[in-house]
């Protein structure tokens, strides 16, 4: 969050309600009617609470306690999770006005330029994925999911999301930056250097080579320059 705030400002971040290493300390009484609970040290572990009055608090605390005892690194061998301090985070529930989770836009950034947009729809219902160019042209390639039916409307804040993704990816050879567009505004989702742990397959397989062709390894001097860029606030 501090990295995103330094580069894009705090307004793009979901509101943070609680960050704790003790699930029993989650202040349910002070939380809004809807919120999201997830651990800082895993992927795919999440509880979306849309109506607090129907929540089994004891069950949620038990789920969080289980997360706290697990090591995503030992389960997947994804090294970036190895040394993360296990904590529980409670954040604002982002929705599009209908109460449903909005589409998730994932931008693949290579050397500071967006080269692919991966769109997720129906994340917790009928999960589907389609791929688009930054110019919003639908691609024939897909991941190992059913494609979203029909052509999606261009998101209202596409240009803003691309600019934000490129800002966050400046100084890095490859990163995926994720955002939600509610129609009213854009929210930051997450950053990852290894989507799906590097295990996702594209169809056709040749598209994997196409996408990999954008990835240029940095020289040692470029990596030093990139590290300096990461410490500098804003994108200039």
């Amino acid at each position: 969050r501090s990295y995103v705030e330094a580069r894009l400002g705090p307004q793009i971040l979901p509101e943070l309600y609680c960050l704790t290493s003790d699930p029993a300390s989650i202040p349910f009484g002070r939380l809004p009617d809807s919120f999201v609970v997830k651990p800082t040290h895993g992927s795919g572990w999440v509880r979306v609470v849309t109506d607090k009055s129907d929540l089994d608090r004891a069950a949620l605390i038990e789920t969080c306690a289980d997360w706290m005892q697990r090591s995503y690194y030992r389960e997947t061998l994804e090294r970036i999770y190895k040394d993360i301090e296990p904590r529980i985070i409670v954040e604002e529930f982002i929705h599009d006005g209908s109460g449903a989770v909005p589409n998730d836009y994932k931008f693949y950034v290579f050397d500071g330029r967006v080269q692919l947009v991966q769109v997720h729809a129906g994340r917790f219902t009928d999960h589907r994925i389609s791929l688009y160019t930054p110019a919003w042209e639908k691609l024939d390639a897909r991941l190992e999911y059913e494609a979203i039916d029909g052509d999606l409307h261009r998101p209202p804040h596409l240009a803003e999301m691309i600019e934000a993704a490129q800002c966050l990816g400046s100084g890095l050879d490859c990163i995926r930056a994720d955002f939600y567009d509610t129609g009213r505004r854009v929210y930051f989702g997450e950053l990852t250097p290894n989507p799906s742990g590097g295990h996702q397959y594209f169809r056709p397989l040749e598209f994997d080579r196409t996408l990999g062709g954008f990835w240029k390894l940095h020289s040692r001097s470029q990596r030093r320059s990139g590290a300096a860029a990461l410490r500098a606030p804003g994108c200039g």
Side-chain angles (χ1 to χ4, degrees):
R1 289 176 65 95
S2 60
Y3 174 77
V4 174
E5 183 172 348
R7 293 208 159 199
L8 300 177
Q11 72 287 341
I12 202 167
L13 291 166
E15 185 174 352
L16 176 63
Y17 300 132
C18 175
L19 180 64
T20 181
S21 56
D22 178 12
S25 71
I26 296 175
F28 290 105
R30 299 201 303 270
L31 294 178
D33 290 336
S34 59
F35 51 88
V36 175
V37 183
K38 56 189 177 182
T40 58
H41 60 291
S43 177
W45 305 344
V46 60
R47 278 291 309 277
V48 176
V49 178
T50 57
D51 186 351
K52 187 173 67 171
S53 65
D54 291 335
L55 175 65
D56 185 335
R57 299 183 183 184
L60 179 56
I61 291 172
E62 184 177 350
T63 296
C64 292
D66 176 66
W67 288 339
M68 291 292 292
Q69 298 302 314
R70 294 171 62 183
S71 167
Y72 199 75
Y73 166 69
R74 287 198 296 269
E75 293 181 20
T76 68
L77 299 182
E78 292 185 52
R79 187 172 180 178
I80 60 173
Y81 290 98
K82 184 176 182 180
D83 299 315
I84 297 177
E85 177 186 356
R87 290 181 293 179
I88 301 298
I89 187 169
V90 184
E91 284 187 331
E92 177 182 3
F93 171 49
I94 308 302
H95 61 86
D96 59 6
S98 68
V101 176
N103 289 346
D104 189 358
Y105 299 95
K106 302 177 180 294
F107 297 83
Y108 287 70
V109 187
F110 297 87
D111 288 317
R113 301 295 300 175
V114 169
Q115 302 290 355
L116 177 70
V117 187
Q118 179 179 309
V119 188
H120 291 240
R123 168 75 74 171
F124 300 105
T125 52
D126 181 20
H127 191 186
R128 293 170 179 257
I129 300 175
S130 287
L131 304 177
Y132 283 79
T133 70
W136 207 246
E137 299 164 337
K138 191 173 184 179
L139 296 169
D140 290 334
R142 64 181 182 85
L143 288 168
E144 294 181 308
Y145 286 81
E146 290 295 322
I148 301 169
D149 291 335
D151 292 326
L152 289 173
H153 291 296
R154 183 187 183 100
H157 298 96
L158 178 62
E160 180 182 336
M161 290 190 290
I162 289 176
E163 182 179 1
Q166 293 182 163
C167 179
L168 294 175
S170 176
L172 300 169
D173 54 353
C174 178
I175 197 79
R176 197 194 73 199
D178 303 353
F179 300 89
Y180 298 101
D181 189 346
T182 67
R184 302 181 307 278
R185 54 172 290 193
V186 170
Y187 288 90
F188 169 77
E190 69 166 317
L191 287 172
T192 178
N194 55 328
S196 300
H199 295 297
Q200 63 184 359
Y201 288 89
F202 291 98
R203 295 289 185 268
L205 291 175
E206 290 77 12
F207 187 75
D208 196 38
R209 181 178 295 276
T210 299
L211 192 61
F214 294 116
W215 195 345
K216 309 299 182 185
L217 295 180
H218 284 182
S219 66
R220 185 174 299 177
S221 62
Q222 286 175 312
R223 287 196 295 270
R224 285 197 297 267
S225 298
L230 294 181
R231 293 191 293 270
C235 292

